[in-house]
Amino acid sequence: MSGGAGDGTAVVVGTGPNGLAAAVTLARAGVKVELYEAHGTIGGGLRTQSLFDADIEHDICAAVHPMAAASPFFREFGLAARGVELLHAEASYAHPLDGARSAVAYRDLERTCAGLGVDGPRWRALMGPLLERSDAVVDLVLSGPRALAHGTPAATRQFAAEPARALLAGVAAHAVGRLPSPAGAGVALLLGHLAHGSGWPLARGGSARIADALAADITAHGGVFHTGRRIEDLRELPPARAVLLDVAPKGLLRITGGRLPDRYRRRLGRFRYGPAAAKVDFLVSGPVPWADPETGRALTVHLGGTQAEVYRQETLTARGVATGEPFVLLVDPAVADPGRARPGRRPLWAYAHVPHGSTVDPYEPIRRRIERYAPGFTDTVLAHRSVTGAAYEEYNPNYVGGDIGAGAMTLVQSLARPTAQADPYRTPLPGVYLCSASTPPGPGVHGMCGYLAARSALRREFGVRQAPALAPAPAPA
């Protein structure tokens, strides 16, 4: 365990994107790093597996990576220079509506605005200023009162027609909670403008390629991985000056036993988890037969109907009420990465937002959702596999009750995560830090929770104040 022992050594528990980012940062600062992973393979939400056919792979959790393309950590780390190719579809996301209509967010902002008709100028006014500043850290305050409006009932009046309203509502639903809300507005503006900038890409060959690149850098700087090692107690760890835990608050309480102060334990106990994600992985015989072919130009498709329907579904789900018509996010990876498909066989997957802890098989609700906007889809299904919300926690204990965001994205928990304190990564135990998505800035494959936790540990435990360089070494001349 920590507490002054293990001079010059750090231990990271959990090898999701944040645990890996923390280990990269520590190792590049000259710290000897050991990583412990309960599964037989690393990656957490970045795993890619063959589920039906050996030559067709599905991403098990995270698949589309707008934050990996935009985050400061990954921009400096340089995925492209490490052989990870982020691929884009012609459109980042689409939102079909009844009547064979759809709203489409193309990479090209002007093309998107043209497709939104009367609301094109409003969409440009909303996204354009953020795009101009997108190379810097995105600060939603730049949109001023507009951001607040999209988080209140006034959101229903921001656009004149349904396509633009639904298009933005589908992005807001990535907050996985009550809508409209300030947190949903922030997510909508962040992800919405990135769709027209650095995009919503996926990694060629699957998300595991990102984890592999991070792991290769860790190993190159002396890091050691221990897979198949579930840590139940801090005392199981070797001596180390710092321990960084890529776990949810529930896992932190478990792994620390009774050693945390009562006040801090009570604060962690008040941490709220959000609704669950339930997933169906499909093997299909061909592209989704969308009623509007423009929908098929998008890598990600939001299935939720009108803005009012999306708001209703998400709010009821957040209250624990199953609607039978959940909001669904569908990913068709071969749209951007044709190499993922084979003749007559193609991977596809879709998530439904369902009540926390749901044990309901999501296959029928998801199938019906897709069929509504793509008549004949069911006939293309060769095989499928369901994962309930509750089963997601069994797969990854960080997904408490199926909450793949590791904590509800409420306004309070967007600012104070997991508790309100100056350094949210530091725990009361000497040398023990939290580095999961339950810390700022929250969920997403951006690596920033791990990076910022590692920077805190470097300053406090190792006296290293300068940020280590993350970029790959230049190739020899």
Side-chain angles (χ1 to χ4, degrees):
M1 198 185 132
S2 63
D7 189 41
T9 299
V11 167
V12 176
V13 176
T15 62
N18 285 306
L20 293 172
V24 165
T25 307
L26 292 164
R28 281 181 160 264
V31 176
K32 180 183 177 183
V33 183
E34 296 199 33
L35 298 94
Y36 289 81
E37 169 57 50
H39 280 257
T41 57
I42 66 163
L46 290 175
R47 293 190 179 95
T48 303
Q49 293 179 226
S50 298
L51 298 178
F52 307 109
D53 287 3
D55 57 348
I56 294 183
E57 293 188 313
H58 286 66
D59 290 319
I60 302 305
C61 189
V64 180
H65 302 294
M67 299 312 300
S71 86
F73 172 81
F74 279 113
R75 287 204 310 268
E76 185 177 352
F77 184 72
L79 286 171
R82 300 170 187 277
V84 179
E85 187 177 0
L86 296 180
L87 302 177
H88 298 266
E90 189 176 347
S92 294
Y93 64 96
H95 194 117
L97 295 164
D98 289 333
R101 300 176 298 152
S102 61
V104 182
Y106 300 98
R107 292 285 307 285
D108 185 328
L109 177 61
E110 292 306 313
R111 184 178 177 186
T112 303
C113 294
L116 292 175
V118 66
D119 284 318
R122 293 182 177 92
W123 193 269
R124 185 185 299 107
L126 184 64
M127 300 300 176
L130 289 170
L131 273 173
E132 293 173 5
R133 299 164 175 83
S134 198
D135 286 342
V137 176
V138 175
D139 185 350
L140 293 181
V141 175
L142 292 175
S143 57
R146 187 178 295 273
L148 294 177
H150 284 282
T152 71
T156 61
R157 301 189 295 273
Q158 294 304 301
F159 295 108
E162 190 55 48
R165 289 195 292 261
L167 193 63
L168 196 66
V171 190
H174 283 248
V176 196
R178 177 182 61 84
L179 290 177
S181 69
V187 169
L189 294 179
L190 175 62
L191 296 182
H193 95 273
L194 289 176
H196 308 298
S198 52
W200 289 22
L202 52 69
R204 183 186 293 276
S207 294
R209 308 303 179 267
I210 298 175
D212 291 343
L214 293 164
D217 190 76
I218 293 165
T219 302
H221 289 84
V224 177
F225 287 86
H226 305 276
T227 56
R229 292 285 305 276
R230 182 177 297 278
I231 302 301
E232 300 290 351
D233 192 289
L234 286 178
R235 288 172 294 192
E236 299 173 24
L237 298 173
R241 187 181 293 186
V243 172
L244 284 80
L245 303 172
D246 186 1
V247 301
K250 181 179 177 180
L252 177 62
L253 289 168
R254 173 183 56 80
I255 204 171
T256 55
R259 290 183 285 276
L260 289 170
D262 289 343
R263 182 181 179 188
Y264 188 76
R265 288 176 59 85
R266 288 194 298 271
R267 289 161 66 191
L268 289 181
R270 291 193 292 268
F271 186 75
R272 290 177 53 197
Y273 297 96
K279 185 189 183 195
V280 177
D281 291 292
F282 294 96
L283 182 68
V284 295
S285 59
V288 179
W290 299 110
D292 180 1
E294 282 300 299
T295 305
R297 299 183 186 276
L299 174 60
T300 300
V301 180
H302 298 145
L303 305 174
T306 65
Q307 179 194 63
E309 288 174 314
V310 172
Y311 284 2
R312 175 181 176 275
Q313 292 149 12
E314 291 296 273
T315 299
L316 287 173
T317 299
R319 293 173 180 167
V321 178
T323 67
E325 294 185 330
F327 179 79
V328 170
L329 296 89
L330 178 145
V331 176
D332 187 352
V335 170
D337 185 3
R340 300 286 288 270
R342 297 291 182 271
R345 294 171 297 140
R346 184 183 184 103
L348 186 82
W349 52 85
Y351 291 91
H353 293 169
V354 297
H356 184 88
S358 173
T359 59
V360 175
D361 185 334
Y363 174 69
E364 275 301 317
I366 287 177
R367 183 198 63 78
R368 288 195 303 267
R369 267 293 191 205
I370 302 172
E371 187 78 23
R372 174 175 171 179
Y373 302 104
F377 166 75
T378 304
D379 295 335
T380 72
V381 177
L382 303 175
H384 75 273
R385 181 196 78 147
S386 296
V387 181
T388 68
Y392 254 122
E393 183 174 2
E394 297 172 13
Y395 166 74
N396 187 333
N398 282 9
Y399 303 156
V400 177
D403 175 6
I404 60 175
M409 286 297 290
T410 63
L411 179 60
V412 171
Q413 287 192 178
S414 298
L415 302 172
R417 195 173 176 90
T419 66
Q421 58 186 54
D423 185 343
Y425 312 98
R426 189 184 184 194
T427 77
L429 298 182
V432 177
Y433 294 78
L434 193 62
C435 69
S436 69
S438 300
T439 64
V445 179
H446 43 62
M448 292 303 294
C449 306
Y451 172 75
L452 293 171
R455 289 292 313 279
S456 177
L458 285 170
R459 286 192 301 269
R460 296 178 182 278
E461 312 302 332
F462 300 93
V464 177
R465 297 192 171 275
Q466 184 173 354
L470 302 177

